[in-house]
Amino acid sequence: MTSTTVTGRRSAGDRGSAPGGLPLTRVSGVGLGVAMLWFSLLVLIPLAAVAVTASEGGWSQFWRTVTQEQTAAAIELTVGTAFLVTLVNIVMGTAIAWVLVRDRFTGKRVLEILIDIPFALPTIVAGLVLLSLYGPKSPLGVNIANTRTAVFLAFLFVTLPFVVRTVQPVLAELDREAEEAAASLGARRFTIFRRIILPGLTPAIAAGAALSFARGVSEYGSLVLLSGNLPMHTEVASVRILSSIENDNPENAAAVAVVLLAISFVVIVAVDVLQRRMVRRG
């Protein structure tokens, strides 16, 4: 009799609890509802609309669109360049974060501000800057306009801050006692970095890499002036989407957008799973 009563009380109490075990109050419930409504209006509903538009012609039409030679070349260039840029950002972004956290030098605060410029600068302005520096009238004597190198450079510019800003706070919070202990035992600097520092930084590096890749896949403004948008050569997926819209073909534009969305989603989910596994391992 007693056990039945206790069970009934626990069941009744569990109904008002959040998944984490904490009760969901009226205020938190309203907050959750408002957050989900706002998220749905800004993200879920528009994404669903794009997916519906892409599926209007059926699977066969969708497949013909994304495998059409020019479209496939644009997607391949976009994804491939974003992947290569992400690899560069993993190395250089981590190195820059290390310099900002571990070193002291004149002009450090200026560098901190400059790193965030790609966040604040309109991408079309970034494209104009890059064209001025690396276009036909380059003061440096370097002309990469209308080449795939221009696409690579534009992606590098807009994705620079992501790895830096995700790694920097984690590196600043790392306990340096373990490094000092390893050094006192004769461990080399590279060994200390590989065995002690890098495992703690890996989740942050992975998160920054995922953001960098997703940002590169979606880029348009910074490269539209410099790359020349040459079909089968320097045309990226975002430009291909714009071309479809201008030709009054929203189904094709939505199909390419869904492919980019799916690729970015898979990358972000894979990184999230990797981070969770690393956290469990400690």
Side-chain angles (χ1 to χ4, degrees):
M1 187 72 176
T2 303
S3 61
T4 304
T5 303
V6 172
T7 304
R9 288 177 180 174
R10 287 180 179 175
S11 300
D14 289 342
R15 293 192 192 106
S17 299
L22 297 176
L24 190 64
T25 63
R26 289 185 178 181
V27 175
S28 58
V30 171
L32 177 61
V34 171
M36 290 305 300
L37 176 62
W38 186 252
F39 180 74
S40 299
L41 291 174
L42 290 181
V43 180
L44 295 182
I45 295 176
L47 291 182
V50 171
V52 170
T53 303
S55 63
E56 288 181 354
W59 169 253
S60 59
Q61 177 62 32
F62 175 87
W63 184 250
R64 282 196 299 270
T65 298
V66 298
T67 56
Q68 191 265 344
E69 188 177 10
Q70 187 175 343
T71 301
I75 295 174
E76 181 181 357
L77 174 63
T78 303
V79 176
T81 305
F83 178 75
L84 293 177
V85 165
T86 300
L87 294 180
V88 174
N89 284 334
I90 288 174
V91 177
M92 297 306 301
T94 304
I96 293 173
W98 180 278
V99 169
L100 292 175
V101 173
R102 295 296 178 92
D103 296 334
R104 296 181 179 179
F105 54 91
T106 304
K108 181 177 179 179
R109 292 191 176 183
V110 176
L111 181 58
E112 288 267 13
I113 296 173
L114 291 177
I115 288 174
D116 290 330
I117 285 181
F119 280 150
L121 193 68
T123 54
I124 191 65
V125 177
L128 182 60
V129 170
L130 293 175
L131 180 64
S132 301
L133 285 177
Y134 304 107
K137 299 181 180 180
S138 170
L140 305 176
V142 179
N143 182 11
I144 59 171
N146 304 332
T147 66
R148 293 196 171 191
T149 303
V151 178
F152 185 82
L153 180 63
F155 279 18
L156 274 179
F157 181 86
V158 298
T159 59
L160 168 67
F162 288 101
V163 175
V164 177
R165 291 313 187 196
T166 54
V167 172
Q168 188 176 356
V170 177
L171 181 59
E173 293 297 326
L174 286 182
D175 186 6
R176 302 188 65 172
E177 292 183 0
E179 301 174 41
E180 295 172 356
S184 66
L185 294 174
R188 297 181 178 179
R189 290 185 178 180
F190 179 75
T191 302
I192 295 174
F193 178 80
R194 181 172 59 87
R195 300 293 297 273
I196 298 176
I197 300 175
L198 187 58
L201 294 181
T202 300
I205 293 174
L211 293 174
S212 174
F213 178 83
R215 182 68 179 85
V217 165
S218 63
E219 182 52 28
Y220 171 77
S222 65
L223 56 85
V224 67
L225 298 177
L226 187 62
S227 69
N229 309 316
L230 304 177
M232 305 293 297
H233 185 53
T234 63
E235 184 184 45
V236 296
S238 57
V239 175
R240 189 67 180 151
I241 291 173
L242 179 62
S243 298
S244 297
I245 295 295
E246 290 176 342
N247 292 325
D248 196 23
N249 197 341
E251 294 82 6
N252 286 6
V256 179
V258 166
V259 171
L260 297 182
L261 173 64
I263 293 172
S264 298
F265 181 77
V266 169
V267 170
I268 292 175
V269 169
V271 170
D272 183 69
V273 171
L274 175 64
Q275 287 178 311
R276 291 177 184 272
R277 289 184 177 180
M278 296 192 68
V279 169
R280 291 194 195 103
R281 291 178 182 178

